[in-house]
Short mmCIF file of all heavy atoms in Angstrom, two decimals:
data_model
loop_
_atom_site.label_atom_id
_atom_site.label_comp_id
_atom_site.label_asym_id
_atom_site.label_seq_id
_atom_site.Cartn_x
_atom_site.Cartn_y
_atom_site.Cartn_z
N MET V 1 23.42 6.19 2.00
CA MET V 1 22.86 5.18 2.88
C MET V 1 21.93 4.30 2.06
O MET V 1 21.14 4.79 1.27
CB MET V 1 22.11 5.90 4.01
CG MET V 1 21.29 5.02 4.87
SD MET V 1 20.35 5.90 6.18
CE MET V 1 21.40 7.23 6.64
N SER V 2 22.04 3.01 2.23
CA SER V 2 21.16 2.09 1.51
C SER V 2 20.04 1.61 2.42
O SER V 2 20.13 1.71 3.65
CB SER V 2 21.96 0.89 1.00
OG SER V 2 22.32 0.06 2.08
N ARG V 3 19.00 1.07 1.81
CA ARG V 3 17.87 0.55 2.60
C ARG V 3 18.34 -0.53 3.56
O ARG V 3 17.83 -0.67 4.67
CB ARG V 3 16.80 0.00 1.65
CG ARG V 3 15.53 -0.39 2.37
CD ARG V 3 14.51 -1.00 1.46
NE ARG V 3 13.93 -0.02 0.59
CZ ARG V 3 12.82 -0.23 -0.13
NH1 ARG V 3 12.22 -1.40 -0.08
NH2 ARG V 3 12.35 0.69 -0.91
N GLY V 4 19.35 -1.31 3.16
CA GLY V 4 19.87 -2.38 4.00
C GLY V 4 20.53 -1.89 5.28
O GLY V 4 20.68 -2.65 6.23
N GLU V 5 20.91 -0.62 5.32
CA GLU V 5 21.53 -0.05 6.51
C GLU V 5 20.51 0.48 7.51
O GLU V 5 20.87 0.94 8.58
CB GLU V 5 22.46 1.10 6.11
CG GLU V 5 23.63 0.68 5.25
CD GLU V 5 24.45 1.86 4.81
OE1 GLU V 5 25.30 2.31 5.58
OE2 GLU V 5 24.22 2.33 3.67
N LEU V 6 19.23 0.41 7.16
CA LEU V 6 18.16 0.92 8.01
C LEU V 6 17.46 -0.21 8.74
O LEU V 6 17.39 -1.32 8.25
CB LEU V 6 17.13 1.67 7.15
CG LEU V 6 17.67 2.82 6.31
CD1 LEU V 6 16.59 3.32 5.36
CD2 LEU V 6 18.18 3.94 7.18
N THR V 7 16.90 0.10 9.91
CA THR V 7 16.07 -0.85 10.64
C THR V 7 14.62 -0.57 10.28
O THR V 7 14.11 0.52 10.56
CB THR V 7 16.28 -0.70 12.16
OG1 THR V 7 17.64 -0.93 12.47
CG2 THR V 7 15.40 -1.68 12.93
N ARG V 8 13.98 -1.53 9.67
CA ARG V 8 12.59 -1.36 9.26
C ARG V 8 11.69 -1.59 10.46
O ARG V 8 11.73 -2.64 11.09
CB ARG V 8 12.27 -2.35 8.14
CG ARG V 8 10.93 -2.15 7.52
CD ARG V 8 10.80 -3.07 6.34
NE ARG V 8 9.48 -2.95 5.75
CZ ARG V 8 9.15 -3.47 4.59
NH1 ARG V 8 10.03 -4.16 3.89
NH2 ARG V 8 7.93 -3.33 4.13
N LEU V 9 10.86 -0.60 10.77
CA LEU V 9 9.97 -0.68 11.93
C LEU V 9 8.57 -1.13 11.56
O LEU V 9 7.81 -1.53 12.42
CB LEU V 9 9.90 0.69 12.63
CG LEU V 9 11.23 1.24 13.15
CD1 LEU V 9 11.01 2.63 13.71
CD2 LEU V 9 11.83 0.32 14.19
N THR V 10 8.21 -1.03 10.29
CA THR V 10 6.85 -1.35 9.85
C THR V 10 6.89 -2.27 8.64
O THR V 10 7.95 -2.58 8.12
CB THR V 10 6.09 -0.06 9.47
OG1 THR V 10 6.81 0.59 8.43
CG2 THR V 10 5.95 0.87 10.66
N GLY V 11 5.72 -2.71 8.23
CA GLY V 11 5.62 -3.55 7.05
C GLY V 11 5.79 -5.03 7.34
O GLY V 11 6.13 -5.80 6.47
N SER V 12 5.49 -5.41 8.56
CA SER V 12 5.62 -6.82 8.94
C SER V 12 4.50 -7.69 8.39
O SER V 12 4.52 -8.89 8.56
CB SER V 12 5.63 -6.93 10.46
OG SER V 12 4.39 -6.49 10.99
N GLY V 13 3.54 -7.06 7.73
CA GLY V 13 2.38 -7.81 7.23
C GLY V 13 1.20 -7.72 8.16
O GLY V 13 0.11 -8.17 7.83
N ASN V 14 1.37 -7.12 9.33
CA ASN V 14 0.27 -6.98 10.28
C ASN V 14 -0.51 -5.69 10.07
O ASN V 14 -1.55 -5.49 10.63
CB ASN V 14 0.81 -6.99 11.72
CG ASN V 14 1.48 -8.30 12.04
OD1 ASN V 14 1.09 -9.34 11.54
ND2 ASN V 14 2.49 -8.25 12.88
N GLY V 15 0.03 -4.79 9.26
CA GLY V 15 -0.60 -3.50 9.03
C GLY V 15 -1.48 -3.49 7.80
O GLY V 15 -2.06 -4.50 7.41
N GLU V 16 -1.53 -2.34 7.16
CA GLU V 16 -2.42 -2.14 6.03
C GLU V 16 -1.86 -2.71 4.73
O GLU V 16 -2.54 -2.75 3.73
CB GLU V 16 -2.68 -0.65 5.85
CG GLU V 16 -3.36 -0.04 7.07
CD GLU V 16 -3.49 1.46 6.96
OE1 GLU V 16 -3.20 2.03 5.90
OE2 GLU V 16 -3.90 2.06 7.95
N CYS V 17 -0.61 -3.12 4.72
CA CYS V 17 0.01 -3.56 3.49
C CYS V 17 0.91 -4.77 3.76
O CYS V 17 1.64 -4.79 4.74
CB CYS V 17 0.85 -2.42 2.93
SG CYS V 17 1.56 -2.79 1.35
N THR V 18 0.84 -5.74 2.89
CA THR V 18 1.65 -6.94 3.09
C THR V 18 2.71 -7.11 2.02
O THR V 18 3.45 -8.06 2.04
CB THR V 18 0.76 -8.19 3.11
OG1 THR V 18 0.02 -8.24 1.90
CG2 THR V 18 -0.17 -8.17 4.31
N LYS V 19 2.79 -6.18 1.06
CA LYS V 19 3.80 -6.24 0.01
C LYS V 19 5.01 -5.41 0.43
O LYS V 19 4.92 -4.56 1.30
CB LYS V 19 3.23 -5.76 -1.30
CG LYS V 19 2.10 -6.67 -1.79
CD LYS V 19 1.61 -6.27 -3.15
CE LYS V 19 0.61 -7.29 -3.63
NZ LYS V 19 -0.70 -6.82 -3.77
N GLY V 20 6.15 -5.59 -0.21
CA GLY V 20 7.38 -4.94 0.20
C GLY V 20 7.50 -3.45 -0.01
O GLY V 20 8.22 -2.77 0.71
N ASP V 21 6.82 -2.87 -0.99
CA ASP V 21 6.99 -1.46 -1.29
C ASP V 21 5.77 -0.65 -0.88
O ASP V 21 5.04 -0.14 -1.72
CB ASP V 21 7.26 -1.28 -2.79
CG ASP V 21 8.65 -0.76 -3.06
OD1 ASP V 21 9.41 -0.58 -2.10
OD2 ASP V 21 8.96 -0.53 -4.23
N CYS V 22 5.56 -0.51 0.39
CA CYS V 22 4.41 0.19 0.94
C CYS V 22 4.90 1.30 1.85
O CYS V 22 6.09 1.38 2.14
CB CYS V 22 3.56 -0.79 1.74
SG CYS V 22 3.03 -2.19 0.76
N PRO V 23 4.00 2.15 2.35
CA PRO V 23 4.44 3.14 3.32
C PRO V 23 5.14 2.44 4.48
O PRO V 23 4.65 1.44 5.00
CB PRO V 23 3.13 3.79 3.78
CG PRO V 23 2.20 3.60 2.63
CD PRO V 23 2.58 2.25 2.06
N ASN V 24 6.30 2.94 4.85
CA ASN V 24 7.09 2.34 5.92
C ASN V 24 7.84 3.39 6.71
O ASN V 24 8.07 4.50 6.23
CB ASN V 24 8.11 1.33 5.36
CG ASN V 24 7.48 0.00 5.02
OD1 ASN V 24 6.97 -0.68 5.89
ND2 ASN V 24 7.51 -0.36 3.76
N VAL V 25 8.22 3.02 7.91
CA VAL V 25 9.07 3.86 8.76
C VAL V 25 10.32 3.06 9.07
O VAL V 25 10.25 1.88 9.44
CB VAL V 25 8.35 4.24 10.08
CG1 VAL V 25 9.26 5.06 10.97
CG2 VAL V 25 7.06 5.01 9.78
N TYR V 26 11.47 3.69 8.88
CA TYR V 26 12.77 3.07 9.13
C TYR V 26 13.51 3.90 10.17
O TYR V 26 13.31 5.11 10.27
CB TYR V 26 13.62 3.05 7.85
CG TYR V 26 13.01 2.28 6.71
CD1 TYR V 26 12.13 2.89 5.82
CD2 TYR V 26 13.32 0.94 6.51
CE1 TYR V 26 11.58 2.19 4.76
CE2 TYR V 26 12.78 0.23 5.44
CZ TYR V 26 11.91 0.87 4.58
OH TYR V 26 11.36 0.18 3.53
N ARG V 27 14.40 3.27 10.91
CA ARG V 27 15.26 3.97 11.87
C ARG V 27 16.70 3.85 11.40
O ARG V 27 17.13 2.79 10.98
CB ARG V 27 15.12 3.38 13.26
CG ARG V 27 15.78 4.26 14.32
CD ARG V 27 15.20 4.01 15.67
NE ARG V 27 15.51 5.13 16.53
CZ ARG V 27 15.32 5.14 17.81
NH1 ARG V 27 14.79 4.08 18.38
NH2 ARG V 27 15.61 6.19 18.52
N THR V 28 17.44 4.96 11.48
CA THR V 28 18.84 4.97 11.08
C THR V 28 19.73 4.61 12.25
O THR V 28 19.28 4.60 13.41
CB THR V 28 19.26 6.36 10.57
OG1 THR V 28 19.26 7.27 11.67
CG2 THR V 28 18.34 6.87 9.46
N ALA V 29 20.98 4.32 11.98
CA ALA V 29 21.93 3.99 13.04
C ALA V 29 22.11 5.15 14.02
O ALA V 29 22.40 4.94 15.19
CB ALA V 29 23.28 3.60 12.43
N SER V 30 21.90 6.38 13.55
CA SER V 30 22.06 7.55 14.42
C SER V 30 20.79 7.85 15.23
O SER V 30 20.77 8.76 16.04
CB SER V 30 22.45 8.77 13.61
OG SER V 30 21.39 9.14 12.74
N GLY V 31 19.70 7.08 14.98
CA GLY V 31 18.47 7.25 15.75
C GLY V 31 17.43 8.13 15.08
O GLY V 31 16.36 8.33 15.63
N SER V 32 17.71 8.65 13.89
CA SER V 32 16.70 9.43 13.17
C SER V 32 15.82 8.48 12.38
O SER V 32 16.03 7.26 12.38
CB SER V 32 17.36 10.47 12.27
OG SER V 32 18.14 9.85 11.27
N PHE V 33 14.82 9.02 11.70
CA PHE V 33 13.85 8.20 10.99
C PHE V 33 13.82 8.55 9.51
O PHE V 33 13.99 9.70 9.13
CB PHE V 33 12.45 8.37 11.58
CG PHE V 33 12.37 7.94 13.01
CD1 PHE V 33 12.60 8.84 14.03
CD2 PHE V 33 12.11 6.63 13.33
CE1 PHE V 33 12.55 8.45 15.35
CE2 PHE V 33 12.07 6.22 14.65
CZ PHE V 33 12.29 7.13 15.67
N VAL V 34 13.56 7.54 8.69
CA VAL V 34 13.34 7.72 7.26
C VAL V 34 11.92 7.22 7.00
O VAL V 34 11.57 6.11 7.39
CB VAL V 34 14.37 6.92 6.42
CG1 VAL V 34 14.04 7.01 4.95
CG2 VAL V 34 15.78 7.42 6.69
N ILE V 35 11.13 8.07 6.35
CA ILE V 35 9.73 7.74 6.09
C ILE V 35 9.54 7.49 4.60
O ILE V 35 9.96 8.29 3.77
CB ILE V 35 8.80 8.90 6.52
CG1 ILE V 35 9.08 9.33 7.96
CG2 ILE V 35 7.34 8.53 6.30
CD1 ILE V 35 8.85 8.29 9.01
N GLN V 36 8.90 6.37 4.27
CA GLN V 36 8.57 6.05 2.88
C GLN V 36 7.05 6.14 2.75
O GLN V 36 6.32 5.51 3.51
CB GLN V 36 9.03 4.63 2.56
CG GLN V 36 8.62 4.15 1.18
CD GLN V 36 8.95 2.67 0.98
OE1 GLN V 36 9.65 2.06 1.78
NE2 GLN V 36 8.42 2.11 -0.08
N GLY V 37 6.60 6.95 1.84
CA GLY V 37 5.16 7.09 1.64
C GLY V 37 4.87 7.77 0.33
O GLY V 37 5.78 8.08 -0.45
N GLY V 38 3.62 8.04 0.10
CA GLY V 38 3.21 8.73 -1.11
C GLY V 38 3.57 10.20 -1.05
O GLY V 38 3.46 10.83 0.00
N ALA V 39 4.01 10.75 -2.17
CA ALA V 39 4.35 12.17 -2.23
C ALA V 39 3.10 13.00 -1.95
O ALA V 39 2.01 12.69 -2.41
CB ALA V 39 4.93 12.52 -3.59
N SER V 40 3.28 14.05 -1.17
CA SER V 40 2.17 14.94 -0.83
C SER V 40 2.44 16.33 -1.41
O SER V 40 3.59 16.77 -1.49
CB SER V 40 2.05 15.06 0.70
OG SER V 40 1.09 16.04 1.04
N SER V 41 1.38 16.99 -1.80
CA SER V 41 1.51 18.36 -2.29
C SER V 41 0.72 19.32 -1.40
O SER V 41 0.22 20.34 -1.85
CB SER V 41 1.01 18.44 -3.74
OG SER V 41 -0.33 18.01 -3.82
N ALA V 42 0.63 18.98 -0.10
CA ALA V 42 -0.13 19.80 0.84
C ALA V 42 0.39 21.23 0.91
O ALA V 42 -0.38 22.17 1.06
CB ALA V 42 -0.10 19.16 2.23
N PHE V 43 1.70 21.40 0.81
CA PHE V 43 2.33 22.71 0.73
C PHE V 43 3.73 22.52 0.17
O PHE V 43 4.20 21.39 0.06
CB PHE V 43 2.36 23.43 2.09
CG PHE V 43 3.17 22.74 3.15
CD1 PHE V 43 4.53 23.01 3.31
CD2 PHE V 43 2.58 21.82 4.00
CE1 PHE V 43 5.27 22.37 4.29
CE2 PHE V 43 3.32 21.18 4.98
CZ PHE V 43 4.67 21.46 5.13
N THR V 44 4.39 23.59 -0.19
CA THR V 44 5.73 23.50 -0.75
C THR V 44 6.75 23.58 0.39
O THR V 44 6.84 24.61 1.06
CB THR V 44 5.98 24.63 -1.76
OG1 THR V 44 4.99 24.55 -2.78
CG2 THR V 44 7.36 24.50 -2.38
N PRO V 45 7.50 22.50 0.63
CA PRO V 45 8.49 22.51 1.71
C PRO V 45 9.74 23.30 1.31
O PRO V 45 9.95 23.57 0.12
CB PRO V 45 8.81 21.03 1.90
CG PRO V 45 8.60 20.44 0.55
CD PRO V 45 7.46 21.22 -0.06
N PRO V 46 10.59 23.63 2.28
CA PRO V 46 11.84 24.31 1.97
C PRO V 46 12.73 23.44 1.07
O PRO V 46 12.57 22.22 1.02
CB PRO V 46 12.49 24.51 3.34
CG PRO V 46 11.39 24.37 4.33
CD PRO V 46 10.40 23.44 3.71
N ALA V 47 13.66 24.08 0.40
CA ALA V 47 14.60 23.36 -0.46
C ALA V 47 15.30 22.27 0.33
O ALA V 47 15.68 22.46 1.48
CB ALA V 47 15.62 24.34 -1.03
N GLY V 48 15.44 21.10 -0.28
CA GLY V 48 16.12 19.99 0.37
C GLY V 48 15.22 19.12 1.23
O GLY V 48 15.67 18.14 1.81
N GLU V 49 13.95 19.49 1.35
CA GLU V 49 13.00 18.71 2.13
C GLU V 49 11.88 18.21 1.22
O GLU V 49 11.69 18.71 0.13
CB GLU V 49 12.41 19.55 3.27
CG GLU V 49 13.45 19.96 4.29
CD GLU V 49 12.84 20.70 5.47
OE1 GLU V 49 11.60 20.81 5.56
OE2 GLU V 49 13.62 21.16 6.31
N ALA V 50 11.14 17.21 1.68
CA ALA V 50 10.02 16.66 0.92
C ALA V 50 8.88 16.32 1.88
O ALA V 50 9.10 16.16 3.08
CB ALA V 50 10.45 15.41 0.17
N LEU V 51 7.70 16.22 1.36
CA LEU V 51 6.54 15.82 2.14
C LEU V 51 6.08 14.44 1.69
O LEU V 51 6.03 14.17 0.49
CB LEU V 51 5.38 16.80 1.92
CG LEU V 51 5.64 18.26 2.20
CD1 LEU V 51 4.40 19.06 1.82
CD2 LEU V 51 5.99 18.48 3.65
N VAL V 52 5.77 13.56 2.64
CA VAL V 52 5.19 12.27 2.33
C VAL V 52 3.98 12.04 3.22
O VAL V 52 3.90 12.60 4.31
CB VAL V 52 6.19 11.09 2.49
CG1 VAL V 52 7.37 11.24 1.56
CG2 VAL V 52 6.65 10.96 3.92
N GLU V 53 3.07 11.24 2.73
CA GLU V 53 1.90 10.85 3.53
C GLU V 53 2.02 9.37 3.85
O GLU V 53 2.36 8.57 2.97
CB GLU V 53 0.62 11.09 2.75
CG GLU V 53 0.27 12.53 2.56
CD GLU V 53 -1.10 12.70 1.93
OE1 GLU V 53 -2.06 12.01 2.35
OE2 GLU V 53 -1.20 13.52 1.00
N ILE V 54 1.75 9.02 5.10
CA ILE V 54 1.70 7.61 5.49
C ILE V 54 0.41 7.39 6.27
O ILE V 54 -0.06 8.29 6.97
CB ILE V 54 2.92 7.17 6.32
CG1 ILE V 54 3.04 7.97 7.62
CG2 ILE V 54 4.20 7.27 5.53
CD1 ILE V 54 4.05 7.42 8.59
N PRO V 55 -0.17 6.22 6.16
CA PRO V 55 -1.39 5.93 6.91
C PRO V 55 -1.14 5.94 8.42
O PRO V 55 -0.04 5.61 8.88
CB PRO V 55 -1.79 4.53 6.44
CG PRO V 55 -1.06 4.32 5.17
CD PRO V 55 0.19 5.11 5.27
N GLU V 56 -2.15 6.31 9.17
CA GLU V 56 -2.03 6.32 10.63
C GLU V 56 -1.59 4.97 11.17
O GLU V 56 -0.78 4.87 12.09
CB GLU V 56 -3.38 6.72 11.26
CG GLU V 56 -3.33 6.75 12.78
CD GLU V 56 -4.66 7.14 13.39
OE1 GLU V 56 -5.41 7.93 12.80
OE2 GLU V 56 -4.96 6.63 14.49
N GLY V 57 -2.11 3.88 10.58
CA GLY V 57 -1.76 2.54 11.05
C GLY V 57 -0.27 2.25 10.93
O GLY V 57 0.30 1.55 11.77
N THR V 58 0.37 2.81 9.90
CA THR V 58 1.81 2.61 9.72
C THR V 58 2.58 3.31 10.84
O THR V 58 3.52 2.76 11.41
CB THR V 58 2.26 3.14 8.34
OG1 THR V 58 1.54 2.45 7.33
CG2 THR V 58 3.75 2.95 8.13
N LEU V 59 2.17 4.53 11.16
CA LEU V 59 2.83 5.26 12.25
C LEU V 59 2.60 4.55 13.59
O LEU V 59 3.54 4.41 14.39
CB LEU V 59 2.31 6.69 12.30
CG LEU V 59 3.01 7.63 13.24
CD1 LEU V 59 4.51 7.69 12.97
CD2 LEU V 59 2.41 9.03 13.14
N ARG V 60 1.41 4.06 13.83
CA ARG V 60 1.13 3.32 15.08
C ARG V 60 2.00 2.06 15.16
O ARG V 60 2.49 1.71 16.22
CB ARG V 60 -0.35 2.96 15.17
CG ARG V 60 -1.24 4.14 15.45
CD ARG V 60 -2.72 3.71 15.55
NE ARG V 60 -3.57 4.83 15.77
CZ ARG V 60 -3.85 5.33 16.97
NH1 ARG V 60 -3.34 4.79 18.05
NH2 ARG V 60 -4.66 6.37 17.09
N GLU V 61 2.16 1.37 14.03
CA GLU V 61 3.00 0.17 14.01
C GLU V 61 4.44 0.50 14.37
O GLU V 61 5.10 -0.22 15.11
CB GLU V 61 2.93 -0.48 12.62
CG GLU V 61 3.66 -1.79 12.53
CD GLU V 61 3.59 -2.42 11.14
OE1 GLU V 61 2.86 -1.93 10.27
OE2 GLU V 61 4.30 -3.42 10.94
N ALA V 62 4.95 1.63 13.85
CA ALA V 62 6.32 2.05 14.17
C ALA V 62 6.46 2.36 15.65
O ALA V 62 7.46 1.97 16.28
CB ALA V 62 6.70 3.28 13.34
N ILE V 63 5.49 3.02 16.22
CA ILE V 63 5.52 3.36 17.65
C ILE V 63 5.52 2.08 18.49
O ILE V 63 6.28 1.96 19.46
CB ILE V 63 4.36 4.29 18.01
CG1 ILE V 63 4.60 5.67 17.36
CG2 ILE V 63 4.17 4.41 19.52
CD1 ILE V 63 3.40 6.59 17.39
N ARG V 64 4.69 1.11 18.12
CA ARG V 64 4.67 -0.17 18.84
C ARG V 64 6.03 -0.88 18.72
O ARG V 64 6.53 -1.44 19.70
CB ARG V 64 3.56 -1.08 18.30
CG ARG V 64 2.19 -0.77 18.83
CD ARG V 64 1.18 -1.87 18.50
NE ARG V 64 1.07 -2.14 17.07
CZ ARG V 64 0.24 -1.50 16.24
NH1 ARG V 64 -0.55 -0.55 16.69
NH2 ARG V 64 0.20 -1.82 14.97
N ALA V 65 6.62 -0.84 17.53
CA ALA V 65 7.91 -1.51 17.32
C ALA V 65 9.00 -0.92 18.20
O ALA V 65 9.92 -1.60 18.63
CB ALA V 65 8.32 -1.42 15.84
N LEU V 66 8.90 0.38 18.49
CA LEU V 66 9.87 1.06 19.35
C LEU V 66 9.55 0.89 20.84
O LEU V 66 10.35 1.25 21.68
CB LEU V 66 9.93 2.55 19.01
CG LEU V 66 10.54 2.87 17.64
CD1 LEU V 66 10.28 4.31 17.28
CD2 LEU V 66 12.02 2.57 17.66
N GLY V 67 8.37 0.35 21.14
CA GLY V 67 7.98 0.15 22.54
C GLY V 67 7.55 1.45 23.22
O GLY V 67 7.59 1.54 24.44
N TRP V 68 7.14 2.43 22.44
CA TRP V 68 6.73 3.72 23.02
C TRP V 68 5.29 3.69 23.45
O TRP V 68 4.41 3.23 22.97
CB TRP V 68 6.92 4.86 22.04
CG TRP V 68 8.35 5.14 21.72
CD1 TRP V 68 9.47 4.57 22.26
CD2 TRP V 68 8.85 6.05 20.75
NE1 TRP V 68 10.61 5.08 21.71
CE2 TRP V 68 10.27 6.00 20.77
CE3 TRP V 68 8.24 6.92 19.87
CZ2 TRP V 68 11.06 6.79 19.94
CZ3 TRP V 68 9.03 7.69 19.05
CH2 TRP V 68 10.43 7.63 19.09
#
């Protein structure tokens, strides 16, 4: 899956970042989410999974974009 196949919910410039490569939330065609953020080492996730950190404002922006 490429970034172009995702619906970007955040990063419109109204949040904490106005450049293209910032923490973001994307929605896939199947309705799941892809999160872009800084790698976190809070704990070791199971194989095949990863941890990322995103600012609260980015998550709030995604929720507003979905109308929730």
Side-chain angles (χ1 to χ4, degrees):
M1 170 182 326
S2 72
R3 187 183 288 194
E5 296 176 83
L6 303 171
T7 301
R8 187 173 177 169
L9 300 176
T10 59
S12 64
N14 298 328
E16 298 174 8
C17 185
T18 57
K19 296 185 174 114
D21 246 2
C22 303
N24 281 298
V25 178
Y26 300 87
R27 191 157 199 190
T28 68
S30 66
S32 63
F33 298 91
V34 175
I35 308 298
Q36 175 187 349
S40 173
S41 58
F43 63 90
T44 302
E49 295 185 6
L51 304 176
V52 298
E53 290 187 45
I54 60 169
E56 180 180 327
T58 301
L59 188 55
R60 288 180 182 274
E61 185 180 353
I63 290 168
R64 279 192 303 272
L66 291 167
W68 293 355

